[in-house]
């Protein structure tokens, strides 16, 4: 009986530990402004910290999210990130954000995942069809058409997208639950990896002709 209790206790502790590690760790100090110089610095969560006494307002500041970005590209969308790379004061705070611009009539933020963050998105301009797909075995599509002022959330790690179905530019802002959420664009990762995934593997995985796979790979 005692052995059973010990096993249950270990299981609960393991579960609690996994939940604790499911997002950025909580900071043990007010802030940790990320710097590249290791001299006289503390190393926290993958980056060196500036001496807190030397922190300045610009470490916690970013300007430019009011500017519409050029969407003349393959997908008709542009993502402007504000994460720890752009704002070093975000380090250890567990948050970041992006502005997303979409071209009229089909601007697409293509199917992708954020391996380290959930995302909450608010539409400022335009009309977006958004959605995410649940994990195996259901692979259930949950989608919605959003208008200005509407908010939608994408759970961590799940494939999701946004698509401009309107005839005007669309703009959205999104918050993410990590200073460095990461992004994996599905098509780029699968067909544009370096080095390339063997065409026979992709042909079998996607039930495609090998020649078609090679053509797709040449596009990325």
């Amino acid at each position: 009986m005692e052995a059973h209790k010990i096993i249950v206790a270990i299981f609960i502790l393991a579960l609690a530990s996994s939940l604790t590690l499911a997002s950025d760790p909580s900071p043990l100090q007010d802030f940790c402004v990320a710097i590249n110089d290791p001299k006289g610095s503390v190393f926290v969560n993958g980056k060196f910290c500036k001496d807190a006494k030397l922190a300045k307002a610009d470490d916690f500041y970013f300007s430019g999210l009011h500017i519409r970005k050029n969407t003349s590209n393959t997908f008709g969308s542009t993502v402007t990130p504000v994460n720890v790379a752009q704002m070093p004061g975000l380090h250890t705070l567990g948050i970041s954000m992006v502005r997303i611009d979409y071209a009229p009539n089909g601007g697409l933020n293509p199917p992708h995942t954020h391996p380290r963050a959930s995302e909450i998105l608010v539409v400022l301009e335009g009309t977006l069809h958004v959605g995410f797909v649940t994990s195996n075995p259901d692979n259930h599509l949950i989608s919605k058409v959003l208008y200005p002022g509407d908010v939608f959330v994408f759970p961590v790690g799940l494939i999701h997208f946004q698509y401009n179905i309107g005839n005007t530019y669309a703009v959205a802002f999104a918050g993410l639950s990590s200073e460095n959420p990461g992004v994996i664009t599905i098509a780029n990762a699968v067909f544009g990896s370096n080095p390339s995934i063997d065409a026979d593997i992709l042909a079998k995985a996607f039930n495609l002709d090998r020649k078609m796979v090679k053509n797709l790979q040449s596009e990325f």
Side-chain angles (χ1 to χ4, degrees), residues 77-203:
S77 71
T78 298
V79 178
T80 304
V82 184
N83 56 45
V84 68
Q86 292 78 33
M87 185 187 292
L90 283 174
H91 186 44
T92 73
L93 299 186
I95 55 172
S96 60
M97 67 181 300
V98 297
R99 170 185 170 130
I100 314 170
D101 290 273
Y102 311 83
N105 301 308
L108 172 68
N109 190 10
H112 62 281
T113 72
H114 300 293
R116 295 180 289 275
S118 295
E119 175 182 349
I120 185 165
L121 177 139
V122 58
V123 178
L124 272 67
E125 302 175 22
T127 306
L128 295 177
H129 174 210
V130 308
F132 64 85
V133 179
T134 64
S135 56
N136 298 349
D138 294 337
N139 300 130
H140 178 54
L141 172 64
I142 296 176
S143 64
K144 185 82 173 174
V145 174
L146 304 183
Y147 302 93
D150 289 348
V151 177
F152 198 83
V153 68
F154 306 103
V156 59
L158 296 187
I159 295 173
H160 59 282
F161 62 87
Q162 303 106 36
Y163 183 63
N164 185 2
I165 60 175
N167 58 11
T168 62
Y169 282 97
V171 179
F173 279 68
L176 299 113
S177 61
S178 172
E179 67 178 68
N180 182 23
V183 60
I184 301 171
T185 305
I186 305 306
N188 292 31
V190 173
F191 294 104
S193 66
N194 184 22
S196 298
I197 299 174
D198 188 284
D200 290 328
I201 294 173
L202 295 181

